Coordinates of all heavy atoms in Angstrom, one line a residue:
T123 N 68.5 -49.8 -147.6 CA 67.4 -50.4 -148.3 C 66.2 -49.4 -148.2 O 66.1 -48.6 -147.3 CB 67.0 -51.7 -147.7 OG1 66.5 -51.5 -146.4 CG2 68.2 -52.7 -147.7
P124 N 65.3 -49.5 -149.2 CA 64.1 -48.7 -149.1 C 63.3 -48.9 -147.8 O 62.9 -47.9 -147.2 CB 63.2 -49.2 -150.3 CG 64.2 -49.8 -151.2 CD 65.3 -50.3 -150.4
A125 N 63.3 -50.1 -147.3 CA 62.5 -50.3 -146.0 C 63.2 -49.6 -144.9 O 62.5 -49.0 -144.0 CB 62.5 -51.8 -145.7
S126 N 64.5 -49.5 -144.8 CA 65.2 -48.9 -143.7 C 65.1 -47.4 -143.8 O 64.9 -46.7 -142.8 CB 66.7 -49.3 -143.6 OG 67.3 -48.9 -144.8
V127 N 65.1 -46.8 -145.0 CA 64.9 -45.4 -145.2 C 63.5 -45.0 -144.8 O 63.3 -44.0 -144.0 CB 65.2 -44.9 -146.6 CG1 64.8 -43.5 -146.8 CG2 66.6 -45.2 -147.0
M128 N 62.5 -45.7 -145.2 CA 61.1 -45.4 -144.8 C 60.9 -45.6 -143.3 O 60.2 -44.8 -142.7 CB 60.2 -46.3 -145.6 CG 60.2 -46.1 -147.1 SD 59.7 -44.4 -147.6 CE 61.3 -43.9 -148.4
A129 N 61.5 -46.6 -142.7 CA 61.4 -46.8 -141.3 C 61.9 -45.6 -140.5 O 61.3 -45.2 -139.5 CB 62.0 -48.1 -140.9
T130 N 63.1 -45.2 -140.8 CA 63.7 -44.1 -140.1 C 62.9 -42.8 -140.3 O 62.7 -42.0 -139.4 CB 65.2 -43.8 -140.4 OG1 65.3 -43.8 -141.9 CG2 66.0 -45.0 -139.9
L131 N 62.4 -42.6 -141.6 CA 61.6 -41.4 -141.9 C 60.4 -41.4 -141.0 O 60.0 -40.4 -140.4 CB 61.2 -41.4 -143.3 CG 60.3 -40.3 -143.8 CD1 60.9 -38.9 -143.6 CD2 59.9 -40.5 -145.3
C132 N 59.7 -42.6 -140.9 CA 58.5 -42.7 -140.1 C 58.8 -42.4 -138.6 O 58.0 -41.8 -137.9 CB 57.9 -44.1 -140.3 SG 57.1 -44.3 -141.9
F133 N 59.9 -42.9 -138.1 CA 60.3 -42.8 -136.7 C 60.4 -41.3 -136.4 O 59.8 -40.8 -135.4 CB 61.6 -43.5 -136.4 CG 62.1 -43.2 -135.0 CD1 61.6 -43.9 -133.9 CD2 63.1 -42.3 -134.8 CE1 62.1 -43.7 -132.6 CE2 63.6 -42.0 -133.5 CZ 63.1 -42.7 -132.4
F134 N 61.2 -40.5 -137.2 CA 61.4 -39.1 -136.9 C 60.1 -38.3 -137.2 O 59.8 -37.3 -136.5 CB 62.5 -38.6 -137.8 CG 63.9 -39.1 -137.3 CD1 64.7 -39.7 -138.2 CD2 64.3 -38.9 -136.0 CE1 65.9 -40.2 -137.8 CE2 65.5 -39.4 -135.6 CZ 66.3 -40.1 -136.5
R135 N 59.3 -38.7 -138.1 CA 58.0 -38.0 -138.3 C 57.0 -38.2 -137.2 O 56.2 -37.4 -136.9 CB 57.4 -38.4 -139.7 CG 58.1 -37.7 -140.9 CD 57.4 -38.0 -142.2 NE 56.0 -37.5 -142.2 CZ 55.7 -36.2 -142.3 NH1 56.6 -35.3 -142.4 NH2 54.4 -35.9 -142.4
F136 N 57.1 -39.4 -136.5 CA 56.2 -39.5 -135.3 C 56.6 -38.5 -134.3 O 55.7 -37.8 -133.7 CB 56.4 -40.9 -134.7 CG 55.7 -41.1 -133.4 CD1 54.3 -41.4 -133.4 CD2 56.4 -40.9 -132.2 CE1 53.7 -41.5 -132.1 CE2 55.7 -41.0 -131.0 CZ 54.4 -41.3 -131.0
W137 N 57.9 -38.3 -134.0 CA 58.3 -37.3 -133.0 C 58.1 -35.9 -133.4 O 57.9 -35.0 -132.6 CB 59.7 -37.6 -132.5 CG 59.8 -38.9 -131.7 CD1 60.3 -40.1 -132.2 CD2 59.2 -39.2 -130.4 NE1 60.1 -41.1 -131.2 CE2 59.4 -40.5 -130.1 CE3 58.5 -38.4 -129.5 CZ2 59.0 -41.1 -128.9 CZ3 58.1 -38.9 -128.3 CH2 58.4 -40.3 -128.0
L138 N 58.2 -35.7 -134.7 CA 57.9 -34.4 -135.3 C 56.4 -34.1 -135.0 O 56.1 -33.0 -134.5 CB 58.2 -34.4 -136.8 CG 57.7 -33.2 -137.6 CD1 58.4 -31.9 -137.1 CD2 57.9 -33.4 -139.1
G139 N 55.6 -35.0 -135.3 CA 54.2 -34.8 -135.0 C 53.9 -34.6 -133.5 O 53.0 -33.9 -133.2
F140 N 54.6 -35.3 -132.7 CA 54.4 -35.2 -131.2 C 54.7 -33.7 -130.8 O 53.9 -33.1 -130.0 CB 55.4 -36.1 -130.5 CG 55.1 -36.3 -129.0 CD1 54.0 -37.0 -128.7 CD2 55.9 -35.8 -128.1 CE1 53.7 -37.2 -127.3 CE2 55.7 -36.0 -126.7 CZ 54.5 -36.7 -126.4
G141 N 55.7 -33.1 -131.3 CA 56.0 -31.7 -131.0 C 55.0 -30.8 -131.6 O 54.5 -29.8 -131.0
I142 N 54.6 -31.1 -132.9 CA 53.5 -30.3 -133.5 C 52.2 -30.3 -132.7 O 51.6 -29.3 -132.5 CB 53.3 -30.8 -134.9 CG1 54.4 -30.4 -135.9 CG2 52.0 -30.2 -135.5 CD1 54.4 -31.0 -137.2
G143 N 51.9 -31.5 -132.2 CA 50.7 -31.6 -131.4 C 50.7 -30.7 -130.2 O 49.6 -30.1 -129.8
G144 N 51.8 -30.6 -129.5 CA 51.9 -29.7 -128.3 C 51.7 -28.3 -128.7 O 51.2 -27.5 -127.8
D145 N 52.0 -27.9 -129.9 CA 51.8 -26.5 -130.3 C 50.3 -26.1 -130.3 O 50.0 -24.9 -130.1 CB 52.5 -26.3 -131.6 CG 53.3 -25.0 -131.6 OD1 54.2 -24.9 -130.7 OD2 53.2 -24.2 -132.5
Y146 N 49.4 -27.0 -130.6 CA 48.0 -26.7 -130.7 C 47.4 -26.1 -129.4 O 47.0 -24.9 -129.4 CB 47.2 -27.9 -131.2 CG 47.2 -28.1 -132.6 CD1 48.3 -28.6 -133.3 CD2 46.1 -27.9 -133.4 CE1 48.3 -28.9 -134.7 CE2 46.1 -28.1 -134.8 CZ 47.2 -28.6 -135.4 OH 47.2 -28.8 -136.7
P147 N 47.4 -26.9 -128.3 CA 46.8 -26.3 -127.1 C 47.6 -25.2 -126.5 O 47.0 -24.2 -126.0 CB 46.7 -27.5 -126.2 CG 47.8 -28.5 -126.7 CD 47.8 -28.3 -128.2
L148 N 48.9 -25.2 -126.6 CA 49.7 -24.2 -125.9 C 49.6 -22.8 -126.7 O 49.4 -21.8 -126.0 CB 51.2 -24.6 -125.9 CG 51.4 -25.8 -124.9 CD1 52.8 -26.4 -125.1 CD2 51.2 -25.4 -123.5
S149 N 49.7 -22.8 -128.0 CA 49.6 -21.6 -128.7 C 48.3 -21.0 -128.6 O 48.1 -19.8 -128.4 CB 50.0 -21.8 -130.2 OG 51.4 -22.1 -130.3
A150 N 47.2 -21.8 -128.7 CA 45.9 -21.3 -128.7 C 45.6 -20.7 -127.3 O 45.0 -19.6 -127.1 CB 44.9 -22.4 -129.0
T151 N 46.0 -21.4 -126.2 CA 45.7 -21.0 -124.9 C 46.5 -19.7 -124.5 O 46.0 -18.8 -123.9 CB 46.1 -22.1 -123.9 OG1 45.3 -23.3 -124.2 CG2 45.8 -21.7 -122.5
I152 N 47.8 -19.7 -124.9 CA 48.6 -18.5 -124.6 C 48.0 -17.3 -125.3 O 47.9 -16.2 -124.7 CB 50.0 -18.7 -125.0 CG1 50.7 -19.7 -124.0 CG2 50.8 -17.4 -125.2 CD1 52.1 -20.1 -124.4
M153 N 47.6 -17.4 -126.5 CA 47.1 -16.3 -127.3 C 45.8 -15.8 -126.7 O 45.5 -14.6 -126.6 CB 46.9 -16.6 -128.8 CG 46.9 -15.4 -129.7 SD 48.5 -14.6 -129.7 CE 48.1 -12.9 -129.2
S154 N 44.9 -16.8 -126.3 CA 43.6 -16.4 -125.8 C 43.8 -15.7 -124.4 O 43.0 -14.8 -124.1 CB 42.7 -17.6 -125.6 OG 43.1 -18.4 -124.6
E155 N 44.8 -16.1 -123.6 CA 45.0 -15.5 -122.3 C 45.7 -14.2 -122.3 O 45.7 -13.4 -121.4 CB 45.7 -16.5 -121.4 CG 44.7 -17.7 -121.1 CD 45.4 -18.8 -120.2 OE1 46.6 -18.8 -120.0 OE2 44.6 -19.7 -119.7
Y156 N 46.4 -13.9 -123.4 CA 47.1 -12.6 -123.6 C 46.1 -11.6 -124.1 O 46.2 -10.4 -123.8 CB 48.2 -12.7 -124.6 CG 49.5 -13.1 -124.0 CD1 50.4 -14.0 -124.7 CD2 50.0 -12.7 -122.8 CE1 51.6 -14.4 -124.2 CE2 51.2 -13.1 -122.2 CZ 52.0 -13.9 -123.0 OH 53.2 -14.3 -122.5

Side-chain angles (χ1 to χ4, degrees):
T123 65
S126 60
V127 174
M128 296 300 115
T130 52
L131 176 61
C132 288
F133 174 81
F134 289 124
R135 282 187 61 76
F136 172 85
W137 290 108
L138 171 64
F140 194 69
I142 287 172
D145 228 51
Y146 277 73
L148 292 170
S149 291
T151 301
I152 285 174
M153 203 67 239
S154 73
E155 293 180 345
Y156 274 142

